[in-house]
């Protein structure tokens, strides 16, 4: 297998875009990525595009060809990937595999989504298409609901009083909002940078014990990256970011996972796959961009990825281990909570942040001496999991 | 198929599968044993008894479910082992007051029909597994 690297990355402003289509949002991100890649359009051989619920938010499917045509990539293979919130991470991983295998030298990857403009009821129903469509949706289970169940179970299984856990969850919200408030492309730029624990606890109850400030927002936005063979990358740019390892795993309905849901076993499997391919361990990772769709989700993710023991990450969070100046900075761009979550674009937006951080060119909260980092994207209730390890080192 | 499961539920019966290879139960039914993947399965009626593993009072509903809020979604571990998702028959305010104390409480499963919504796979009716607390609270 060949080594693979990332050239340019791009991201639209995240937020509300009532007057811009899925195509518009992707194109903006694509051209930012393309223009910093020092290649010609004809060098791009395929487009791998992530979108989750275009059918419900925009009445539009069959989207990949429209993306390719819009940006002038007429006629090339264009494929849409759907893995709920992990859609563009699945697209990214498949692009990496196709380049590594020698099928292509250069692939454009990205995604776009318009959930905020769709409104809360349609947006909530659209997101709920990722739960079991027969046996769970009938009860009215929503995504905040999934993580509300997980939070209560976490409290019970690890014998952490719910009040204490809620404090740790509030800290995740405070931290990610603080990081996101500094992000000019984030949905909450300049907002919510100084939340207090009480603000999170007393915000509107969505699904007990998950409050509004425990949730990531609904978001419109797009993200893109250009993936190429390391050989091509080294010819055209000075600072390729190498893909050292990727992992992916799946799980069935939440009720089939049962009590094990708090262990997020699909994520454990995916992260282990990525670490094995990269020949690294969690200790080698300088920072993480992970899927904090809800505050409790960040705590569960940190444990399943192997950064903390099961039942320990809530404490580490309260101790500041995941802050910008902690031992493992988590979500320096604000994460889903602070930056926004345009579902199909989220995975590649994590890659965007990691690549810019590793190049020392972060839009905000530049970390010092970072060389290797990891993304984590969760689709559905642990149904699709993708992890990507990126580094300035080729190894 | 899901229809048999929900029709039985409306009659107060909980249908599952017993695995002839590993002895474990799968509920609702699926093509393979949820524990070992075997297809050597036999249809059985389960006790319908279980205990609450987790729950959440839902205040913001998806389109099609808005008229039902607030409602309490619960995941229940059945006596025979599998977990199922459904709704807890309880006043939401009471559920919030009880909080974590609701966990581990014993329940019995039955089925109840609710107004359908456009995307639900069963176009004829939408049945929800309901959990009734065995002892009043
Ligand atoms: Zn079996």
């Amino acid at each position: 297998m060949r080594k693979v690297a990332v050239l340019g990355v791009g991201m639209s402003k995240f937020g509300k875009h009532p007057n811009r289509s899925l195509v518009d949002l992707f194109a903006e991100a694509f051209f930012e990525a393309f223009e910093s890649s020092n290649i010609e359009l004809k060098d791009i051989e395929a487009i791998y595009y992530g979108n989750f619920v275009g059918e419900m938010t925009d009445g539009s499917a069959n989207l990949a060809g429209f993306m390719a045509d819009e940006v002038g990539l007429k006629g090339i293979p264009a494929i849409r990937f759907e893995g709920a919130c992990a859609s563009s991470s699945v697209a990214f991983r498949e692009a990496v595999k196709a380049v590594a295998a020698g099928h292509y030298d250069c692939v454009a990857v990205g995604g776009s989504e318009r959930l905020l403009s769709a409104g809360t009821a349609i947006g909530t129903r659209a997101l709920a298409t990722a739960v079991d469509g027969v046996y769970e949706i009938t009860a009215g289970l929503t995504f905040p609901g999934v993580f509300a169940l997980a939070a209560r179970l976490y409290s019970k299984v690890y014998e952490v009083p719910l009040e204490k856990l809620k404090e740790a969850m509030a800290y995740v919200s405070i931290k990610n909002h603080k990081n996101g408030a500094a992000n000019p492309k984030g949905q909450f730029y300049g907002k919510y940078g100084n939340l207090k624990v009480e603000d999170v606890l007393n915000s509107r109850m969505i699904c007990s014990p998950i409050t509004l400030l425990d949730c990531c927002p609904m978001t419109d936005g797009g993200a893109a990256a250009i993936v190429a063979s390391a050989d091509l990358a080294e010819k055209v740019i000075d600072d390729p970011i190498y893909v050292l390892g990727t992992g992916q795993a799946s799980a069935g309905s939440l009720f089939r996972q049962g009590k094990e849901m708090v262990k997020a076993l699909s994520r454990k499997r995916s992260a282990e796959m990525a670490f094995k391919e990269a020949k690294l361990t969690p200790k080698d990772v300088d920072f993480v961009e992970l899927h904090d769709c809800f505050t409790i989700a960040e705590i569960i993710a940190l444990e399943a990825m192997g950064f903390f023991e099961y039942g320990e990450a809530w404490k580490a969070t309260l101790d500041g281990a995941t802050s910008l100046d902690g031992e493992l900075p988590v979500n320096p761009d604000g994460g889903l909570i602070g930056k926004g979550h345009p579902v199909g674009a989220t995975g590649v937006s994590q890659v965007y942040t990691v690549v810019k951080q590793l190049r020392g060119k972060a839009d905000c909260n530049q970390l010092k001496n970072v060389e290797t980092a990891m993304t984590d994207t969760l689709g559905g209730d642990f149904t699709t999991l993708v992890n990507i390890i990126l580094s300035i080192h080729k190894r | 198929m899901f229809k048999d499961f929900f029709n039985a539920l409306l009659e107060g019966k909980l249908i599952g599968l017993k695995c002839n290879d590993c002895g474990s139960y799968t509920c609702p039914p699926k093509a393979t044993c949820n524990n070992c993947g075997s297809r050597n399965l036999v249809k059985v009626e389960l006790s319908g008894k279980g205990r609450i593993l987790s729950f959440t009072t839902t205040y913001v509903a998806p389109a099609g479910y808005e008229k039902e809020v607030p409602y309490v979604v619960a995941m229940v571990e059945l006596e025979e082992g599998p977990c199922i998702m459904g709704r807890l028959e309880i006043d939401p305010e009471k559920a919030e007051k009880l909080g974590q104390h609701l966990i581990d409480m014993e329940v019995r499963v039955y089925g109840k029909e609710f107004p359908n919504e456009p995307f639900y796979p069963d176009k004829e009716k939408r049945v929800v597994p309901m959990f009734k607390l065995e002892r009043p609270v």
Side-chain angles (χ1 to χ4, degrees), chain B residues 18-26 32-41:
Chain B
K18 185 170 189 206
C19 179
N20 284 330
D21 290 338
C22 76
S24 72
Y25 293 85
T26 296
T32 53
C33 168
N34 198 46
N35 180 50
C36 76
S38 169
R39 291 173 67 191
N40 189 6
L41 305 163

Side-chain angles (χ1 to χ4, degrees), chain A residues 56-296:
Chain A
M56 294 192 72
T57 60
D58 292 67
S60 198
N62 190 30
L63 289 157
F66 301 118
M67 304 298 151
D69 190 72
E70 179 78 11
V71 299
L73 292 166
K74 281 190 188 298
I76 64 168
I79 311 161
R80 171 183 172 183
F81 290 82
E82 193 275 295
C85 310
S87 294
S88 62
S89 285
V90 176
F92 184 91
R93 181 167 184 268
E94 289 303 314
V96 167
K97 282 152 63 85
V99 172
H103 295 305
Y104 302 119
D105 288 326
C106 184
V107 176
V109 190
S112 57
E113 202 85 52
R114 296 178 73 241
L115 270 171
L116 184 55
S117 289
T120 303
I122 295 283
T124 303
R125 182 64 185 88
L127 288 169
T129 61
V131 304
D132 180 296
V134 176
Y135 298 114
E136 285 178 349
I137 191 64
T138 189
L141 180 64
T142 64
F143 261 90
V146 167
F147 284 90
L149 293 175
R152 288 194 183 279
L153 198 55
Y154 187 103
S155 162
K156 179 77 183 176
V157 170
Y158 299 126
E159 295 175 352
V160 186
L162 189 62
E163 295 315 310
K164 202 72 201 161
L165 180 62
K166 282 174 74 172
E167 193 187 328
M169 288 160 60
Y171 185 78
V172 172
S173 179
I174 293 166
K175 167 182 73 73
N176 292 351
H177 272 116
K178 187 177 177 197
N179 293 352
N183 187 345
K185 285 189 173 179
Q187 183 159 348
F188 297 132
Y189 180 49
K191 288 180 196 161
Y192 310 123
N194 290 301
L195 291 175
K196 305 274 176 289
V197 171
E198 296 71 39
D199 296 330
V200 182
L201 297 182
N202 297 333
S203 68
R204 185 181 169 202
M205 191 61 81
I206 304 296
C207 285
S208 72
I210 301 277
T211 68
L212 184 63
L213 286 172
D214 282 308
C215 304
C216 70
M218 303 263 191
T219 307
D220 307 334
I226 309 292
V227 169
S229 68
D231 288 348
L232 173 63
E234 286 158 12
K235 269 182 215 144
V236 296
I237 58 168
D238 297 329
D239 51 1
I241 299 299
Y242 298 95
V243 183
L244 298 188
T246 67
Q248 186 174 340
S250 66
S253 312
L254 194 66
F255 66 88
R256 306 257 191 226
Q257 298 171 50
K259 271 180 295 212
E260 305 277 78
M261 76 160 90
V262 289
K263 291 188 177 167
L265 293 176
S266 53
R267 175 179 267 126
K268 185 171 188 287
R269 190 175 177 145
S270 167
E272 282 172 357
M273 192 186 294
F275 280 123
K276 191 177 171 198
E277 189 175 279
K279 299 188 180 70
L280 296 174
T281 69
K283 286 191 180 63
D284 301 309
V285 172
D286 297 322
F287 74 97
V288 183
E289 274 291 317
L290 65 72
H291 203 86
D292 57 324
C293 45
F294 301 93
T295 50
I296 184 68

Side-chain angles (χ1 to χ4, degrees), chain B:
Chain B
M1 61 182 180
F2 65 76
K3 199 78 175 172
D4 293 347
F5 175 78
F6 287 119
N7 281 340
L9 212 53
L10 285 175
E11 290 167 23
K13 290 180 195 154
L14 185 63
I15 300 297
L17 301 169
K18 185 170 189 206
C19 179
N20 284 330
D21 290 338
C22 76
S24 72
Y25 293 85
T26 296
C27 176
K30 68 170 187 175
T32 53
C33 168
N34 198 46
N35 180 50
C36 76
S38 169
R39 291 173 67 191
N40 189 6
L41 305 163
V42 58
K43 195 167 153 182
V44 290
E45 188 182 332
L46 305 182
S47 66
K49 290 184 198 165
R51 58 186 189 94
I52 297 170
L53 266 189
S54 192
F55 76 96
T56 176
T57 306
T58 302
Y59 299 93
V60 179
Y65 300 76
E66 299 107 315
K67 285 181 187 159
E68 298 165 23
V69 292
Y71 53 82
V72 182
V73 174
M75 191 163 89
V76 160
E77 185 175 44
L78 300 168
E79 214 172 49
E80 294 85 355
C83 297
I84 66 168
M85 202 68 77
R87 275 200 199 165
L88 189 59
E89 188 191 294
I90 190 172
D91 171 24
E93 269 179 44
K94 198 176 249 181
E96 285 309 291
K97 257 188 214 127
L98 286 163
Q100 293 292 94
H101 295 296
L102 267 174
I103 294 178
D104 282 339
M105 281 193 184
E106 292 172 354
V107 294
R108 192 175 283 273
V109 187
Y110 69 100
K112 186 177 168 186
E113 194 176 339
F114 278 75
N116 217 338
E117 53 112 341
F119 295 107
Y120 193 63
D122 188 335
K123 303 304 176 190
E124 194 192 359
K125 59 186 167 196
R126 177 182 142 231
V127 178
V128 178
M130 299 294 296
F131 307 125
K132 190 177 169 59
L133 288 162
E134 290 273 37
R135 276 172 282 279
V137 285

